Amino acid sequence: MTWFADSPGWRAFRRDTMAMTGLTLVALVVLAALFADWIAPYPSHAGPIGDFGAMGAPPGGRFLLGTDTIGRDLLTRLIYAYRLSLEMAIVVLAIATPIGVVVGLLAGYLGPAWSYGLMRLTDVFLSIPPLVLAMSITGFLEPSAIHGMIAITAMWWPWYARLTYNLTRAERQEGYVVAAEIVGASLPHILFREILPNCMPSILTKMTVDVGFVILIASSMSFLGLGAQAPTPDLGSMVADGAKYMPDAWWLTVFPAIAILIVVMGFNLLGDGLREAADVAR
Amino acid sequence: MSPASAATVNERKAAVLAVRSLSVTFQSPTGPFEALRNVTLHVRPGEKIGLVGESGSGKSTIARVVLGLLQEERDVAVSGSVRLGLREILGDQSFIRESRGDRVSMIFQDAVSALNPTFTIGDQFKEVLRRRNPTISTAAALRRARVALADVYLHEPDRVLGSYVFQLSGGMSQRVMIALALINDPDLIVADEPGSSLDVTVQARTLHLMNDLIGRRRTSVMFISHNLGVVREFADRVYVIYRGGIVEHATTAQLFADPRHPYTRALLAAIPRLDQRGIPDVPETIPGFADPLIEHEGCEEPSLASA
Amino acid sequence: MSPLVRTLIHRLAASLVVLAGVSMLMFVVARVIPGDPARIALGPNATEAQVEALRRERHLDQPIPVQYWEYVREVARGNLGNSLYSNRPVRQDIAQYLPATLELIFAAAAMIVLIGIPVGVLSARYRRRLGDHLGRVGSIVGVSTPAFVWGVILQLVFAYFWRLFPIEGRLAASLPPPPPITGFFVIDSVLAGDGKTLIDSLHHLALPALALAMAGIGQTARLTRASMVETYRKPFIEMAHAYGFREARISNRYAFRPALVPVLTILGLDIAALLGNAFLVESVFGWPGLSRYGVEVILHKDLDAIVGTVLIIAAAFLVANIAVDLLVAVVNPRIRFAGGRA
């Protein structure tokens, strides 16, 4: 990794306080989610049953962030909620990105008829406000974390289609693409071996930022009761449940709210930092 | 008009611009960079001087110091003296701030990008006229602008005034720029590679037009160019600048008849390549390029001793 | 025909195509889901005969293209079907709930423009100073926080703790709603000359609108700053400096107008976020708008109502985008004269 440590991009990234803050927040969240079973103070509280002797305990003491109305440790539930959020974001992006990228590559590389048809299809998806589209798709199914993921995937791929389309349009005139065409390379070879690698930096940067935004949308849906169902710990539904006990049990609302802010902001700052570092490297 | 006669007429008057021992250092993340080293030059009333050098030599830095723009930036150290008429402008921005657009104006290299794309030409004339007369009415401003546009041979002044810059050709925009630079009758115009973004014939026509107007008004001009042909035709006196320092100073006739500094000779020997808009193809570096300043006879600033 | 009008007509036509696409998409999704829509609609206790009757009435026994054609014919006549949740025509439900949502969205959009843009302009003008850093951190926090979180936090602080604003609703229970003319309480109370209702409705509107606007304010401030910084590097700004235009005039006029173009273009996306986030904010503040209705019909699997609501929201979004395009054309003469998009 020495080449990386010395690269101008990494040096710029390290000097960027905001980017390093983002990296730190993301690292904290990811590590907490990965090692939830070891880190969480009361792993059993991730389920439906808590400590009946300590219902609605305020922050401090045995329960750092307090407990909910049935005595479950808030910190534990937040750590497990991070795990669910990250899983959802990874699954959504792992499905939405390839779909969008393939549509974008085809629309950008093939003739005008293809690009018109595919991009109008993309426009249809983009003309429905993202949250509304995801919610209505969930509406036709049963509310659950899985269906939430399906719905968010359905609204997410068009953004990658549009991004890849624009990148592909810029790349297809480049010499290396023309050269590949002249030697008679196959369509998949040109799309995936020649064009795609040059689009990857932008796509990866967008994916980084999007991890945060998928979590934001997913939590918005579960806040409305259209995502993960009880007793699964979930950031959005924890805020919604906590809001019922405002203002007395304020911690039930405030800490999950801050938890969402931390993860979304972390990925946001990290993505911005990566984008600027990539510009410096170029 | 010979440079010698201009000097006699104006001998007692102070120089319009007198730059002495000007040094500029930029602080960059990679360390300090000396953009100008001990630059001394002057412009007398009604005189046209040329400042010749390659890009990156520091020509434009001088222009930006003279207009007081560079001093307003961070991470720049400026030392020496710059006088506009009798007023020192280094260290105190108030005078140059008042003077910009009024006593001193500037003609930009690329008028198309130097004019604001979201305001009409008429609006931009009004704004510049307000620099001299803040209470000028719109009608009066447009009247003045119409006359100025007629001076630069733009025949449909009303259409031009109602247009946006992207509706004009490059040559028309450059004429608008010249009219703007002259409209407040400044003492000094800094012309930074005027018209070099235009094609050669349009550029030549624009430069002649500018030269006529300036000659009639006896405005002083500091002409910044990398094009020796342009300088030879339009400047009375020439400073050759190389890597932030003046290396040769002579009247135009002297310089072209008897170039003495190795760098000047290399510049003159290099064949201007038409396909690069007259940018000469000078070798990277030769030891003699770093030789000290050579000043030809009779070029010293007349008031230097008394100032 | 002026280029502006041509652009407008072109955009309207394109929007109709997209709207047709949206209806088709929603229709297909609603029909291909597992389960019999008629059975879902009537619930498990309905008899087979009742289900069969509904199926025939809604053409559910026909192939999907035929069903879609029938649906489009009904929509063209202004009939969006009946809501099984409210037992009323969907059109009537939407007409009742939409104005409250629009009032909220207009208020939020006004806040985005009136707060986000000036913050960005000042941030760019005083860049790399303390205020700029605070503005940038604030923008990131604004963008990274979901609208419902803003909702509960603002509600907790300003309504529960400090009691400066009402906790929920559109109007105090003691006040009768103003006579409905536009459906916007703020405007209707002005029209009725009722100052007390006006103040109370503004008082109720403030927190939800701010919660809805926060992300957009952050986004707009960030973009305005970036766009202004970019514009400051342009030769025409150097020219403005070289001609001694005053700093405030450059920042508020000469750099501002060109910098506004990309900001306005992105406002269209902000509007999409507003339409979506209204669901969250209305739920937090008990705002009786279309979004709360939307959540209810989604939870009740009320298919016609879902499709109708989505169609209306998509149409509102398209109209807003056309309005944004016209605004861009007003600010950017290049588009005004060339027609088409820059």
Side-chain angles (χ1 to χ4, degrees):
Chain A
M1 289 295 266
T2 45
W3 62 271
F4 184 70
D6 287 342
S7 73
W10 171 239
R11 261 186 277 129
F13 187 89
R14 266 184 26 194
R15 265 201 311 274
D16 184 347
T17 327
M18 291 231 197
M20 285 309 281
T21 312
L23 184 63
T24 313
L25 294 179
V26 166
L28 280 176
V29 169
V30 170
L31 288 177
L34 274 179
F35 300 107
D37 295 340
W38 292 276
I39 291 174
Y42 304 93
S44 68
H45 290 195
I49 296 161
D51 182 342
F52 294 116
M55 294 192 292
R62 274 173 62 210
F63 305 99
L64 193 60
L65 302 182
T67 64
D68 64 14
T69 47
I70 49 176
R72 294 179 298 190
D73 177 48
L74 202 59
L75 179 59
T76 302
R77 293 185 65 73
L78 284 179
I79 290 172
Y80 280 94
Y82 269 151
R83 177 184 269 189
L84 175 71
S85 297
L86 287 174
E87 281 169 3
M88 285 184 75
I90 289 165
V91 171
V92 164
L93 291 175
I95 301 170
T97 311
I99 297 175
V101 165
V102 169
V103 170
L105 282 171
L106 289 172
Y109 184 75
L110 297 176
W114 280 88
S115 82
Y116 186 85
L118 288 172
M119 292 324 285
R120 280 302 85 76
L121 177 69
T122 311
D123 282 350
V124 167
F125 279 87
L126 293 177
S127 70
I128 310 175
L131 189 60
V132 176
L133 178 59
M135 282 173 47
S136 54
I137 291 173
T138 328
F140 299 132
L141 307 163
E142 290 300 325
S144 75
I146 302 280
H147 291 158
M149 277 192 264
I150 294 175
I152 298 173
T153 308
M155 59 154 276
W156 219 273
W157 69 266
W159 297 97
Y160 285 89
R162 183 185 269 187
L163 173 69
T164 314
Y165 172 76
N166 290 334
L167 293 169
T168 308
R169 286 291 296 267
E171 294 290 334
R172 64 176 294 187
Q173 308 299 338
E174 295 288 326
Y176 69 91
V177 177
V178 178
E181 282 167 354
I182 291 170
V183 301
S186 68
L187 178 66
H189 179 91
I190 292 176
L191 291 186
F192 297 111
R193 292 294 181 80
E194 304 289 345
I195 297 180
L196 183 58
N198 288 289
C199 304
M200 278 323 272
S202 304
I203 294 172
L204 288 174
T205 313
K206 181 168 170 53
M207 287 175 78
T208 311
V209 179
D210 278 358
V211 173
F213 284 126
V214 170
I215 292 175
L216 190 149
I217 292 275
S219 70
S220 300
M221 287 175 60
S222 55
F223 175 79
L224 293 171
L226 299 172
Q229 301 295 305
T232 316
D234 175 281
L235 297 171
S237 32
M238 284 169 80
V239 175
D241 293 342
K244 293 176 201 147
Y245 304 101
M246 283 209 297
D248 304 317
W250 54 268
W251 59 93
L252 293 182
T253 313
V254 170
F255 290 131
I258 293 174
I260 296 172
L261 171 63
I262 286 175
V263 62
V264 180
M265 189 165 79
F267 280 103
N268 235 316
L269 292 172
L270 179 63
D272 278 1
L274 287 178
R275 188 176 305 137
E276 267 164 44
D279 284 349
V280 170
R282 216 175 292 135
Chain B
M1 174 175 56
S2 85
S5 67
T8 349
V9 172
N10 298 301
E11 209 155 55
R12 292 225 159 71
K13 289 197 200 161
V16 172
L17 173 71
V19 175
R20 261 169 239 156
S21 311
L22 175 67
S23 293
V24 171
T25 307
F26 291 102
Q27 292 300 333
S28 78
T30 53
F33 168 71
E34 201 176 35
L36 289 180
R37 235 175 321 104
N38 202 21
V39 167
T40 295
L41 58 82
H42 65 277
V43 185
R44 277 167 278 193
E47 193 184 25
K48 292 175 279 182
I49 67 143
L51 207 54
V52 189
E54 295 167 278
S55 57
S57 59
K59 297 172 302 196
S60 296
T61 307
I62 297 179
R64 302 191 61 217
V65 172
V66 168
L67 283 155
L69 296 173
L70 199 67
Q71 293 89 305
E72 294 184 355
E73 277 176 27
R74 294 166 172 220
D75 304 327
V76 185
V78 183
S79 68
S81 155
V82 176
R83 282 172 171 230
L84 213 52
L86 293 171
R87 294 283 296 264
E88 174 65 48
I89 66 164
L90 285 193
D92 177 13
Q93 285 291 104
S94 57
F95 180 67
I96 186 64
R97 278 199 190 139
E98 280 167 38
S99 304
R100 270 182 223 152
D102 183 1
R103 291 187 197 88
V104 189
S105 72
M106 179 152 178
I107 293 174
F108 282 81
Q109 172 174 0
D110 178 10
V112 174
S113 61
L115 294 169
N116 196 307
T118 52
F119 290 86
T120 61
I121 302 298
D123 279 337
Q124 302 188 50
F125 267 103
K126 204 162 60 187
E127 198 74 37
V128 172
L129 282 162
R130 289 219 167 113
R131 289 289 301 140
R132 169 143 294 179
N133 176 6
T135 58
I136 192 168
S137 70
T138 302
L142 291 180
R143 219 174 309 125
R144 292 273 313 270
R146 250 177 251 128
V147 174
L149 287 178
D151 280 349
V152 293
Y153 303 106
L154 285 170
H155 298 298
E156 294 174 89
D158 285 314
R159 191 181 74 79
V160 173
L161 288 174
S163 298
Y164 293 90
V165 60
F166 55 85
Q167 294 170 298
L168 305 177
S169 71
M172 288 167 89
S173 306
Q174 192 66 49
R175 285 167 192 228
V176 167
M177 183 92 236
I178 292 169
L180 272 173
L182 286 167
I183 199 160
N184 282 334
D185 226 341
D187 301 331
L188 175 69
I189 291 182
V190 177
D192 188 0
E193 312 265 4
S196 66
S197 59
L198 303 173
D199 72 62
V200 182
T201 45
V202 180
Q203 182 189 9
R205 225 182 300 143
T206 315
L207 286 173
H208 280 289
L209 170 69
M210 181 177 101
N211 199 39
D212 289 349
L213 288 170
I214 288 165
R216 247 187 275 156
R217 291 160 202 244
R218 302 198 45 75
T219 313
S220 306
V221 182
M222 188 163 94
F223 228 115
I224 294 173
S225 185
H226 52 238
N227 188 332
L228 282 164
V230 168
V231 169
R232 184 176 202 166
E233 192 161 353
F234 297 107
D236 302 327
R237 210 149 43 80
V238 183
Y239 293 89
V240 180
I241 181 165
Y242 173 68
R243 295 206 174 164
I246 306 276
V247 294
E248 186 156 3
H249 171 201
T251 63
T252 308
Q254 286 167 333
L255 188 85
F256 284 90
D258 176 24
R260 295 180 195 168
H261 195 278
Y263 178 71
T264 313
R265 284 200 213 121
L267 258 188
L268 284 170
I271 302 157
R273 297 203 318 215
L274 281 176
D275 59 335
Q276 289 189 4
R277 300 182 176 278
I279 298 174
D281 201 6
V282 184
E284 263 306 288
T285 185
I286 287 178
F289 283 7
D291 286 0
L293 167 68
I294 297 173
E295 188 158 63
H296 290 241
E297 310 69 37
C299 289
E300 311 78 25
E301 187 182 342
S303 54
L304 197 60
S306 59
Chain C
M1 191 167 27
S2 92
L4 206 56
V5 175
R6 209 178 321 133
T7 312
L8 182 63
I9 290 175
H10 181 246
R11 296 278 294 144
L12 276 174
S15 298
L16 279 178
V17 172
V18 170
L19 210 53
V22 171
S23 69
M24 224 180 289
L25 172 73
M26 292 313 296
F27 198 83
V28 168
V29 173
R31 291 297 184 267
V32 298
I33 54 155
D36 174 358
R39 168 57 71 187
I40 294 170
L42 294 174
N45 298 328
T47 64
E48 193 51 46
Q50 285 171 313
V51 173
E52 190 53 45
L54 184 69
R55 216 176 268 144
R56 212 165 316 113
E57 183 197 321
R58 298 294 193 75
H59 311 281
L60 293 175
D61 46 358
Q62 311 271 332
I64 285 184
V66 178
Q67 293 182 30
Y68 179 68
W69 174 241
E70 293 296 334
Y71 182 76
V72 169
R73 272 181 34 186
E74 290 298 317
V75 171
R77 264 188 263 144
N79 179 8
L80 292 168
N82 290 310
S83 166
L84 305 156
Y85 159 69
S86 68
N87 263 322
R88 296 196 304 182
V90 172
R91 188 175 65 164
Q92 204 180 331
D93 284 344
I94 289 176
Q96 181 185 340
Y97 295 116
L98 187 62
T101 297
L102 289 182
E103 181 168 45
L104 190 58
I105 285 172
F106 278 122
M111 285 181 176
I112 291 176
V113 170
L114 295 178
I115 301 174
I117 292 179
V119 166
V121 168
L122 290 174
S123 214
R125 188 167 155 196
Y126 300 107
R127 63 185 167 283
R128 294 201 210 117
R129 304 210 201 144
L130 182 65
D132 176 30
H133 290 307
L134 288 179
R136 291 178 73 190
V137 170
S139 303
I140 293 259
V141 171
V143 173
S144 306
T145 310
F148 68 90
V149 169
W150 283 120
V152 294
I153 299 283
L154 292 175
Q155 195 180 42
L156 186 67
V157 174
F158 293 102
Y160 282 114
F161 283 154
W162 290 344
R163 299 173 190 280
L164 293 174
F165 291 93
I167 292 166
E168 55 179 23
R170 253 184 119 182
L171 211 55
S174 56
L175 287 174
I181 297 167
T182 59
F184 291 15
F185 282 6
V186 172
I187 295 177
D188 286 348
S189 56
V190 170
L191 293 178
D194 185 345
K196 208 172 152 205
T197 309
L198 173 66
I199 287 170
D200 191 62
S201 60
L202 284 173
H203 200 202
H204 277 82
L205 185 59
L207 279 190
L210 184 61
L212 187 54
M214 284 305 283
I217 291 173
Q219 178 81 6
T220 305
R222 216 150 79 131
L223 243 147
T224 307
R225 180 188 183 278
S227 180
M228 286 289 286
V229 167
E230 176 97 21
T231 307
Y232 270 122
R233 297 202 191 102
K234 294 273 167 73
F236 59 80
I237 296 301
E238 198 189 356
M239 148 121 184
H241 280 124
Y243 277 73
F245 298 177
R246 277 197 328 275
E247 194 55 51
R249 203 157 167 80
I250 290 175
S251 117
N252 300 340
R253 240 173 101 80
Y254 273 71
F256 179 64
R257 201 185 281 182
L260 198 56
V261 172
V263 175
L264 287 182
T265 313
I266 299 297
L267 263 188
L269 288 180
D270 280 338
I271 292 167
L274 289 183
L275 287 163
N277 287 337
F279 279 76
L280 304 162
V281 172
E282 289 187 6
S283 149
V284 172
F285 289 95
W287 191 263
L290 186 63
S291 311
R292 222 166 52 158
Y293 172 75
V295 175
E296 288 303 324
V297 297
I298 284 171
L299 289 173
H300 284 84
K301 289 206 162 203
D302 186 347
L303 298 185
D304 279 355
I306 296 175
V307 176
T309 307
V310 172
L311 269 183
I312 290 297
I313 290 176
F317 180 37
L318 289 169
V319 168
N321 265 315
I322 292 174
V324 166
D325 277 358
L326 291 178
L327 210 59
V328 170
V330 168
V331 174
N332 188 354
R334 206 185 287 268
I335 292 180
R336 199 157 67 231
F337 287 99
R341 316 189 74 172

